[in-house]
Amino acid sequence: MTRTIAAAQFKEKCLAILDQVDADGVVITKHGRPVAKLIPVARTSEHLIGSLKGRIRVHGDIMSTGVRWDAES
């Protein structure tokens, strides 16, 4: 659900709101009418590359299903 906040309140709490903005965004109103919507910047998947380095361990052959089979039979 999109959060709505008055412009005056947004001005007072701008930095805190920026830290808490989610994918739904925040609608900013003046005199009860929407005038702007704050949404987070879409991030590309590039930041994911290498993000788990040193955090996970691979055991065994990651290219194998673990099931032996023969394509000839």
Side-chain angles (χ1 to χ4, degrees):
M1 184 170 152
T2 304
R3 184 173 149 200
T4 302
I5 188 167
Q9 188 179 8
F10 176 77
K11 184 178 175 182
E12 291 173 18
K13 300 178 180 181
C14 179
L15 295 178
I17 293 168
L18 290 175
D19 290 337
Q20 299 168 1
V21 68
D22 60 10
D24 291 334
V26 177
V27 174
I28 303 164
T29 63
K30 273 189 166 180
H31 307 290
R33 285 182 262 161
V35 293
K37 184 172 184 180
L38 173 68
I39 58 171
V41 174
R43 295 180 68 178
T44 61
S45 59
E46 294 171 1
H47 73 281
L48 295 175
I49 297 172
S51 65
L52 295 177
K53 185 175 182 176
R55 295 182 182 198
I56 61 172
R57 291 198 173 131
V58 176
H59 296 281
D61 182 4
I62 63 171
M63 299 302 288
S64 170
T65 62
V67 177
R68 291 183 52 89
W69 63 281
D70 183 9
E72 299 285 328
S73 56

PDB file of all heavy atoms in Angstrom, residues 11-28:
ATOM      1  N   LYS A  11       8.862  17.591   4.485  1.00  0.00           N
ATOM      2  CA  LYS A  11       9.979  18.531   4.641  1.00  0.00           C
ATOM      3  C   LYS A  11      10.670  18.328   5.988  1.00  0.00           C
ATOM      4  O   LYS A  11      11.894  18.334   6.073  1.00  0.00           O
ATOM      5  CB  LYS A  11       9.471  19.962   4.512  1.00  0.00           C
ATOM      6  CG  LYS A  11      10.555  21.001   4.570  1.00  0.00           C
ATOM      7  CD  LYS A  11       9.949  22.391   4.387  1.00  0.00           C
ATOM      8  CE  LYS A  11      11.016  23.458   4.556  1.00  0.00           C
ATOM      9  NZ  LYS A  11      10.459  24.801   4.437  1.00  0.00           N
ATOM     10  N   GLU A  12       9.895  18.112   7.031  1.00  0.00           N
ATOM     11  CA  GLU A  12      10.455  17.921   8.380  1.00  0.00           C
ATOM     12  C   GLU A  12      11.229  16.615   8.507  1.00  0.00           C
ATOM     13  O   GLU A  12      12.231  16.547   9.207  1.00  0.00           O
ATOM     14  CB  GLU A  12       9.334  17.898   9.418  1.00  0.00           C
ATOM     15  CG  GLU A  12       8.638  19.214   9.638  1.00  0.00           C
ATOM     16  CD  GLU A  12       7.437  19.057  10.556  1.00  0.00           C
ATOM     17  OE1 GLU A  12       7.339  18.035  11.269  1.00  0.00           O
ATOM     18  OE2 GLU A  12       6.583  19.958  10.555  1.00  0.00           O
ATOM     19  N   LYS A  13      10.733  15.576   7.844  1.00  0.00           N
ATOM     20  CA  LYS A  13      11.276  14.226   8.046  1.00  0.00           C
ATOM     21  C   LYS A  13      11.908  13.647   6.789  1.00  0.00           C
ATOM     22  O   LYS A  13      12.039  12.426   6.667  1.00  0.00           O
ATOM     23  CB  LYS A  13      10.158  13.305   8.514  1.00  0.00           C
ATOM     24  CG  LYS A  13       9.521  13.753   9.808  1.00  0.00           C
ATOM     25  CD  LYS A  13       8.388  12.836  10.183  1.00  0.00           C
ATOM     26  CE  LYS A  13       7.750  13.299  11.488  1.00  0.00           C
ATOM     27  NZ  LYS A  13       6.662  12.423  11.891  1.00  0.00           N
ATOM     28  N   CYS A  14      12.324  14.490   5.878  1.00  0.00           N
ATOM     29  CA  CYS A  14      12.815  14.058   4.574  1.00  0.00           C
ATOM     30  C   CYS A  14      13.884  12.966   4.651  1.00  0.00           C
ATOM     31  O   CYS A  14      13.776  11.932   4.003  1.00  0.00           O
ATOM     32  CB  CYS A  14      13.336  15.258   3.800  1.00  0.00           C
ATOM     33  SG  CYS A  14      13.991  14.857   2.180  1.00  0.00           S
ATOM     34  N   LEU A  15      14.928  13.178   5.426  1.00  0.00           N
ATOM     35  CA  LEU A  15      16.030  12.209   5.469  1.00  0.00           C
ATOM     36  C   LEU A  15      15.586  10.856   6.011  1.00  0.00           C
ATOM     37  O   LEU A  15      15.989   9.808   5.485  1.00  0.00           O
ATOM     38  CB  LEU A  15      17.197  12.771   6.282  1.00  0.00           C
ATOM     39  CG  LEU A  15      17.864  14.007   5.674  1.00  0.00           C
ATOM     40  CD1 LEU A  15      18.969  14.513   6.585  1.00  0.00           C
ATOM     41  CD2 LEU A  15      18.397  13.715   4.286  1.00  0.00           C
ATOM     42  N   ALA A  16      14.743  10.851   7.022  1.00  0.00           N
ATOM     43  CA  ALA A  16      14.239   9.588   7.573  1.00  0.00           C
ATOM     44  C   ALA A  16      13.359   8.872   6.561  1.00  0.00           C
ATOM     45  O   ALA A  16      13.430   7.647   6.422  1.00  0.00           O
ATOM     46  CB  ALA A  16      13.470   9.848   8.860  1.00  0.00           C
ATOM     47  N   ILE A  17      12.535   9.628   5.846  1.00  0.00           N
ATOM     48  CA  ILE A  17      11.655   9.030   4.842  1.00  0.00           C
ATOM     49  C   ILE A  17      12.481   8.431   3.705  1.00  0.00           C
ATOM     50  O   ILE A  17      12.179   7.343   3.212  1.00  0.00           O
ATOM     51  CB  ILE A  17      10.646  10.069   4.318  1.00  0.00           C
ATOM     52  CG1 ILE A  17       9.685  10.458   5.450  1.00  0.00           C
ATOM     53  CG2 ILE A  17       9.882   9.548   3.116  1.00  0.00           C
ATOM     54  CD1 ILE A  17       8.825  11.663   5.151  1.00  0.00           C
ATOM     55  N   LEU A  18      13.540   9.102   3.300  1.00  0.00           N
ATOM     56  CA  LEU A  18      14.412   8.574   2.248  1.00  0.00           C
ATOM     57  C   LEU A  18      15.019   7.233   2.649  1.00  0.00           C
ATOM     58  O   LEU A  18      15.191   6.346   1.815  1.00  0.00           O
ATOM     59  CB  LEU A  18      15.522   9.572   1.915  1.00  0.00           C
ATOM     60  CG  LEU A  18      15.093  10.840   1.190  1.00  0.00           C
ATOM     61  CD1 LEU A  18      16.285  11.786   1.043  1.00  0.00           C
ATOM     62  CD2 LEU A  18      14.497  10.517  -0.170  1.00  0.00           C
ATOM     63  N   ASP A  19      15.341   7.079   3.919  1.00  0.00           N
ATOM     64  CA  ASP A  19      15.912   5.823   4.401  1.00  0.00           C
ATOM     65  C   ASP A  19      14.880   4.700   4.432  1.00  0.00           C
ATOM     66  O   ASP A  19      15.241   3.528   4.389  1.00  0.00           O
ATOM     67  CB  ASP A  19      16.500   5.997   5.804  1.00  0.00           C
ATOM     68  CG  ASP A  19      17.760   6.844   5.805  1.00  0.00           C
ATOM     69  OD1 ASP A  19      18.420   6.925   4.744  1.00  0.00           O
ATOM     70  OD2 ASP A  19      18.072   7.424   6.859  1.00  0.00           O
ATOM     71  N   GLN A  20      13.600   5.036   4.510  1.00  0.00           N
ATOM     72  CA  GLN A  20      12.551   4.034   4.680  1.00  0.00           C
ATOM     73  C   GLN A  20      11.702   3.789   3.433  1.00  0.00           C
ATOM     74  O   GLN A  20      10.822   2.936   3.463  1.00  0.00           O
ATOM     75  CB  GLN A  20      11.626   4.461   5.821  1.00  0.00           C
ATOM     76  CG  GLN A  20      12.311   4.580   7.148  1.00  0.00           C
ATOM     77  CD  GLN A  20      11.441   5.267   8.188  1.00  0.00           C
ATOM     78  OE1 GLN A  20      10.307   5.644   7.917  1.00  0.00           O
ATOM     79  NE2 GLN A  20      11.984   5.433   9.384  1.00  0.00           N
ATOM     80  N   VAL A  21      11.938   4.523   2.356  1.00  0.00           N
ATOM     81  CA  VAL A  21      11.088   4.382   1.171  1.00  0.00           C
ATOM     82  C   VAL A  21      11.187   2.955   0.621  1.00  0.00           C
ATOM     83  O   VAL A  21      12.267   2.387   0.531  1.00  0.00           O
ATOM     84  CB  VAL A  21      11.426   5.437   0.090  1.00  0.00           C
ATOM     85  CG1 VAL A  21      12.795   5.214  -0.515  1.00  0.00           C
ATOM     86  CG2 VAL A  21      10.360   5.469  -0.975  1.00  0.00           C
ATOM     87  N   ASP A  22      10.024   2.378   0.305  1.00  0.00           N
ATOM     88  CA  ASP A  22      10.004   1.019  -0.235  1.00  0.00           C
ATOM     89  C   ASP A  22       9.546   1.051  -1.693  1.00  0.00           C
ATOM     90  O   ASP A  22       9.353   2.120  -2.275  1.00  0.00           O
ATOM     91  CB  ASP A  22       9.109   0.114   0.610  1.00  0.00           C
ATOM     92  CG  ASP A  22       7.665   0.582   0.674  1.00  0.00           C
ATOM     93  OD1 ASP A  22       7.293   1.500  -0.079  1.00  0.00           O
ATOM     94  OD2 ASP A  22       6.914   0.028   1.480  1.00  0.00           O
ATOM     95  N   ALA A  23       9.361  -0.110  -2.288  1.00  0.00           N
ATOM     96  CA  ALA A  23       9.027  -0.200  -3.707  1.00  0.00           C
ATOM     97  C   ALA A  23       7.703   0.482  -4.051  1.00  0.00           C
ATOM     98  O   ALA A  23       7.509   0.939  -5.177  1.00  0.00           O
ATOM     99  CB  ALA A  23       8.988  -1.659  -4.134  1.00  0.00           C
ATOM    100  N   ASP A  24       6.772   0.558  -3.100  1.00  0.00           N
ATOM    101  CA  ASP A  24       5.486   1.215  -3.354  1.00  0.00           C
ATOM    102  C   ASP A  24       5.614   2.729  -3.409  1.00  0.00           C
ATOM    103  O   ASP A  24       4.777   3.404  -3.983  1.00  0.00           O
ATOM    104  CB  ASP A  24       4.471   0.847  -2.271  1.00  0.00           C
ATOM    105  CG  ASP A  24       4.051  -0.608  -2.359  1.00  0.00           C
ATOM    106  OD1 ASP A  24       4.115  -1.181  -3.459  1.00  0.00           O
ATOM    107  OD2 ASP A  24       3.652  -1.156  -1.319  1.00  0.00           O
ATOM    108  N   GLY A  25       6.652   3.262  -2.790  1.00  0.00           N
ATOM    109  CA  GLY A  25       6.883   4.699  -2.809  1.00  0.00           C
ATOM    110  C   GLY A  25       6.077   5.457  -1.775  1.00  0.00           C
ATOM    111  O   GLY A  25       5.355   4.876  -0.965  1.00  0.00           O
ATOM    112  N   VAL A  26       6.207   6.773  -1.825  1.00  0.00           N
ATOM    113  CA  VAL A  26       5.505   7.683  -0.913  1.00  0.00           C
ATOM    114  C   VAL A  26       4.896   8.798  -1.750  1.00  0.00           C
ATOM    115  O   VAL A  26       5.588   9.451  -2.524  1.00  0.00           O
ATOM    116  CB  VAL A  26       6.480   8.294   0.124  1.00  0.00           C
ATOM    117  CG1 VAL A  26       5.769   9.296   1.015  1.00  0.00           C
ATOM    118  CG2 VAL A  26       7.149   7.215   0.946  1.00  0.00           C
ATOM    119  N   VAL A  27       3.581   9.012  -1.599  1.00  0.00           N
ATOM    120  CA  VAL A  27       2.894  10.103  -2.301  1.00  0.00           C
ATOM    121  C   VAL A  27       2.935  11.329  -1.394  1.00  0.00           C
ATOM    122  O   VAL A  27       2.564  11.270  -0.224  1.00  0.00           O
ATOM    123  CB  VAL A  27       1.439   9.725  -2.637  1.00  0.00           C
ATOM    124  CG1 VAL A  27       0.698  10.916  -3.223  1.00  0.00           C
ATOM    125  CG2 VAL A  27       1.415   8.553  -3.606  1.00  0.00           C
ATOM    126  N   ILE A  28       3.384  12.446  -1.948  1.00  0.00           N
ATOM    127  CA  ILE A  28       3.485  13.704  -1.203  1.00  0.00           C
ATOM    128  C   ILE A  28       2.324  14.590  -1.630  1.00  0.00           C
ATOM    129  O   ILE A  28       2.078  14.768  -2.834  1.00  0.00           O
ATOM    130  CB  ILE A  28       4.841  14.382  -1.476  1.00  0.00           C
ATOM    131  CG1 ILE A  28       5.970  13.422  -1.100  1.00  0.00           C
ATOM    132  CG2 ILE A  28       4.949  15.694  -0.711  1.00  0.00           C
ATOM    133  CD1 ILE A  28       7.312  13.784  -1.660  1.00  0.00           C
TER     134      ILE A  28
END
